[in-house]
Each structure stands twice: as C-alpha cells, then as structure tokens.
Amino acid sequence: MDALVIEGGRPLRGSVQIGAAKNAVLPLMAAALLAGGESHLRRIPKLADVRTLGLLLEHLGARVRPDNGGLLIDAAAVDGREAPYELVKTMRASVLVLGPLVARFGRARVSLPGGCAIGARPINLHLKGLEAMGAEVVLEHGYVDVRALRLRGARIVLDIPTVTGTENLMMAAALADGTTVIENAAREPEVEDLAACLIAMGARIRGAGSAVLEIDGVDALIPFDHTPIPDRIEAGTLMAAAALCDGDITLVGARLDHLDAFVVKLREAGAEVTDLGGQRVRVVSGQRRCGVDLRTSPHPGFPTDMQAQFMALMCKGTGTSVITEKVFENRFMHVSELSRMGADITVEGASAMVRGVAQLSGARVMATDLRASAALVLAGLAAEGATTVSRVYHLDRGYEALEVKLGALGAQIERIKE
Ligand code: EPU
C-alpha cells in the first residue's frame, strides 16, 4: 500500500492548477446513461472514484474510453440494470446510476450502500422520491430493486437537502412523464453543474442552484459535451495548506464564488485571499489566528468536506475553536490521528473543541477517509519532523496527485510503498 512521507516546516510558494470537481464528474458520468449515444466529458481528473464509476458503467454495457484528458462514454448498448455490491461498497456514489437506469430503462437493481466511515448515509430519500414518481421499490438480499414502466412527475419535499439524492431525482425526472417539483433540493454547485449539462442534453429544468427545482420531463435526451466545474474542495484544501504553512500561493482555475462560507472562515483565521480575476486566486497566510468557530451545513453553508482540513488549520497557534459537524454523524475520525501529532482536541457529541498548540510533531498516522486524509497531510506539512500518512488510497479517491501539486509548491513530500 502507498503512504506519504512528509517533512514538515517548508513554506509554500507558487502556482497550482485546480482540477475538475470529483463530485461533479461522478453524477455527470452517470448522466451519460440517459442518452443512447456517445457523451464527452472534458478535463477529467485521474481519481480512483472516476475509475470505479467507469467500471460500473462498463459493467452496465456502456463503452468508456479516455480521450485527451477527458472521457468518452457511449451508452448506446447499455443492457445491464445492476450496480453490484462489490462496486457500491467501494464507492457509495455508484448509487447515482439508480435514477438514470429507472428513467431510461424502467428498472435498476442497486446494492444498498450500508454505513461508512463518516456516518450511516442511508438512501431512503432517493427511494421515497422515486416512489412518489410511481416507481415500485422492493428491498431484498441487500439490493433495492426499482421498477417503473414510465416515471411520472410528482411533488417531492426532501427531509434533508441530500446532494446525490437531488441529483438522482433530477436525472429521473428529466425523462418522466409530466412535471416534477423537488423542494428543499440541494444547492451545491455540483448539482447546478449537472443541471446545466442535463439542459444541454435537452432536459427542461428551472431553479438549479435554488432550493426548488422544477423539471418538465421529455421523451428523450441527447448525448452531451461538457467540461465540469473546478473542484472547490481541492481548491479549499490547498488554500488551507497555504494558510497553515507560511504560504503565498496562486490557485489557477478556481471558482472563489463556490467557496464563500469557507473563505469567510479562512479570512477570520488570518489568511489574505484575493480574487485575481480569470479564475485565479491568491492566498497568503498572513497573521495566523486560531479560535475560529464553525458549523458545517449544506451549501451555501460551510462544507462538511472542508471540516477536517479546517480543523488541522485550527490545531496550531493560539486560541480555542469549536467545530460542529451537522451534516454527518461520525465525521471526526481524524481527531484521534491529529491528537497523535500533538493536537489538543476534545470531542463532545457533534462538536470538537480545538485548543491551538505551539507546535505539532510529526508521527505515523493512518488515513480513515478521503477528507480526513487531507487533514493529516496538512498537519504533516505544518509539523516539526517527519509524518508518514498510511492508507493513502483514501486520498487517491478524490485528489489527483496531491503530493505532486504540494511538492511543486515547495513541500517536502513523497509517495512510498509500505
Ligand atoms: N441522508 C439521509 N437519507 C438519504 C440521503 C442522505 O438521511 O436518502 C443524510 C445523510 O446520511 C447525511 C445527509 O443526509 O447525513 C447529507 O448527505 P448527502 O446525501 O447530501 O450526501 P451524499 O450525496 O451521499 C455528497 C458528496 C459527499 C459530501 C456530501 C455532503 C458526492 C458523490 N458525495 O454525498 O462527498 O460530503 O454530499 O456535501 O457528491 C467527499 O467528497 O469526501 C464526500 C463525502
């Protein structure tokens, strides 16, 4: 297994290119199933999750080929209806094929994802929405079997603005008979990006980016040619790294307007963030301050996917911050590993109290999930001495060559085989 070895204490300087957003790319790949032809996704990052979804699409009968940094997905010959346990357990986002398969072929059989490192993460809202659209949902042998001759438009009020749930239902509604209204819909930029792509495919969607989506179903959709939005979480992670490590870096190809709540907190932490225009953002560490409190919430609130990295930022310095996780019930797995590096953190329920310390010290730590791994890398960059982060496969699910990007900025970091 791969590990990252980091020698902390180097300043970060220079420019870094931000890749396309993993959480935009995955639903876009699933959306290719909605059309009987070849869709083109441009500028696709080399990520384990992208490979896994590619395998699933191939398992369903699609042809998936790399093309000049992008992907060509031909869904003309799709004849499979099943997302098997082996693939869903590796990546929960596999559930995104549910909506497209039911909408285009009238049936999908998808393994139930089960819990994961960050919480229970059920898909009941995806299923309730499909039921409201007339689908029959049967749960057996760990799979959900969803059937509908043709989905029909419905009014769906989501209990929680679930991201992949909204995406699944929006894709299903695009080919349903009549109008679907999704209330309390997720407003994440990735949902908006999917809507833009579906509209280019011929879907009729109003309200993308707001809490109410209105979708008039159409009879067929055409293949797309789409460039996904930049990854706001990769950008945020590198910004937090710069803030923590005496940084002066410029992100190239980043959308600051997707990171509003995070940037407010980063500035409170002392960082200087400047929009240079043309999707270039400069981040200078400035006068570092700890003691910044935050609560995660659905977009446009502070993203749960940046919680662990921001906690790493709060670990070193003076002041006490209270970080409250409101989206997932178990997303503090990084705390015990950060503590092994000398961080002073107490967790009580959904809140972690982080008392800044003068210095973190390098240690052997273990990655437990994707964003927790990023937090450990950040702590390693700021620590005194060497840090080894093992189980880097978690990181590789969602960051393309993070060690290469950080290395080019001046970090001393290398990948080893353990
Ligand atoms: N929830 C339910 N029932 C459902 C669906 C969700 O109770 O049917 C709950 C979840 O258990 C959770 C909350 O609703 O407590 C929000 O979950 P959501 O469904 O929005 O999460 P997701 O769609 O499974 C996506 C991202 C995650 C990101 C979350 C929240 C993708 C592929 N994944 O997950 O990304 O953390 O939204 O923003 O888009 C990551 O990239 O590291 C990652 C975990």
Side-chain angles (χ1 to χ4, degrees):
M1 259 189 283
D2 287 6
L4 292 179
V5 180
I6 305 160
E7 188 65 41
R10 306 291 161 102
L12 299 179
R13 297 278 184 278
S15 298
V16 58
Q17 176 73 45
I18 302 305
K22 166 183 84 83
N23 289 346
V25 171
L26 298 175
L28 289 164
M29 289 174 72
L33 291 172
L34 288 165
E38 189 168 69
S39 289
H40 193 177
L41 272 172
R42 294 179 190 266
R43 232 170 60 82
I44 298 305
K46 290 191 181 60
L47 301 173
D49 276 8
V50 170
R51 272 193 299 281
T52 306
L53 192 51
L55 288 177
L56 174 54
L57 297 181
E58 282 176 344
H59 172 85
L60 294 170
R63 206 157 69 111
V64 182
R65 293 184 290 142
D67 174 77
N68 198 19
L71 277 181
L72 293 169
I73 304 171
D74 189 342
V78 166
D79 55 359
R81 306 288 178 260
E82 181 173 304
Y85 176 67
E86 291 67 37
L87 290 172
V88 180
K89 83 164 193 265
T90 329
M91 189 189 64
R92 309 174 52 82
S94 302
V95 80
L96 282 163
V97 300
L98 184 58
L101 285 179
V102 179
R104 185 162 154 225
F105 303 109
R107 181 164 184 206
R109 196 166 175 271
V110 174
S111 171
L112 272 177
C116 77
I118 61 177
R121 303 182 77 185
I123 57 162
N124 57 316
L125 302 176
H126 305 222
L127 300 175
K128 268 169 95 172
L130 288 169
E131 273 180 332
M133 295 169 78
E136 189 197 339
V137 177
V138 177
L139 234 148
E140 54 185 9
H141 311 304
Y143 279 74
V144 278
D145 200 338
V146 184
R147 297 171 197 238
L149 274 183
R150 171 121 198 235
L151 292 167
R152 45 171 203 273
R155 179 167 172 264
I156 299 165
V157 183
L158 294 173
D159 283 353
I160 303 171
T162 157
V163 175
T164 48
T166 301
E167 291 165 347
N168 245 334
L169 296 173
M170 183 164 65
M171 290 191 278
L175 283 181
D177 188 13
T179 299
T180 299
V181 178
I182 306 175
E183 294 194 28
N184 199 24
R187 289 179 280 168
E188 270 67 6
E190 293 76 17
V191 177
E192 223 179 318
D193 196 32
L194 174 64
C197 178
L198 292 171
I199 289 168
M201 295 173 81
R204 301 207 184 113
I205 301 173
R206 294 177 294 281
S210 80
V212 182
L213 293 173
E214 275 181 34
I215 304 137
D216 299 327
V218 297
D219 288 335
L221 295 169
I222 54 168
F224 60 78
D225 184 340
H226 188 80
T227 304
I229 54 171
D231 198 318
R232 62 195 165 102
I233 307 301
E234 184 193 26
T237 302
L238 289 162
M239 291 164 85
L244 182 59
C245 302
D246 177 23
D248 181 352
I249 69 168
T250 300
L251 309 181
V252 179
R255 293 268 307 256
L256 209 49
D257 58 324
H258 290 167
L259 279 162
D260 288 338
F262 168 72
V263 169
V264 167
K265 294 294 172 184
L266 199 65
R267 285 185 173 136
E268 273 183 45
E272 293 156 22
V273 180
T274 315
D275 190 346
L276 302 176
Q279 299 201 344
R280 293 165 69 88
V281 179
R282 182 170 175 208
V283 187
V284 181
S285 47
Q287 200 62 45
R288 271 184 48 64
R289 284 188 293 272
C290 288
V292 179
D293 297 341
L294 68 87
R295 282 166 89 82
T296 65
S297 61
H299 194 77
F302 189 98
T304 172
D305 290 344
M306 281 304 304
Q307 177 258 108
Q309 302 90 313
F310 202 88
M311 188 182 292
L313 176 60
M314 290 294 100
C315 284
K316 190 178 157 188
T318 45
T320 298
S321 39
V322 177
I323 295 183
T324 306
E325 174 56 57
K326 296 299 281 181
V327 178
F328 292 109
E329 65 270 28
N330 189 27
R331 211 173 194 181
F332 282 142
M333 303 280 281
H334 40 286
V335 167
S336 49
E337 298 301 294
L338 288 170
S339 303
R340 299 192 60 251
M341 299 179 70
D344 181 352
I345 309 170
T346 317
V347 175
E348 190 151 329
S351 293
M353 188 188 285
V354 187
R355 295 186 182 85
V357 294
Q359 186 58 280
L360 292 168
S361 81
R364 283 192 68 92
V365 287
M366 203 166 70
T368 48
D369 72 71
L370 169 55
R371 309 303 172 188
S373 321
L376 297 178
V377 170
L378 261 52
L381 294 174
E384 190 182 15
T387 295
T388 303
V389 182
S390 56
R391 303 205 175 169
V392 175
Y393 61 86
H394 288 293
L395 195 74
D396 294 336
R397 291 187 48 189
Y399 293 91
E400 183 177 17
L402 185 62
E403 77 279 13
V404 177
K405 293 190 180 185
L406 287 169
L409 292 172
Q412 190 174 328
I413 177 168
E414 65 166 336
R415 183 178 286 255
I416 59 159
K417 296 263 176 227
E418 276 193 316

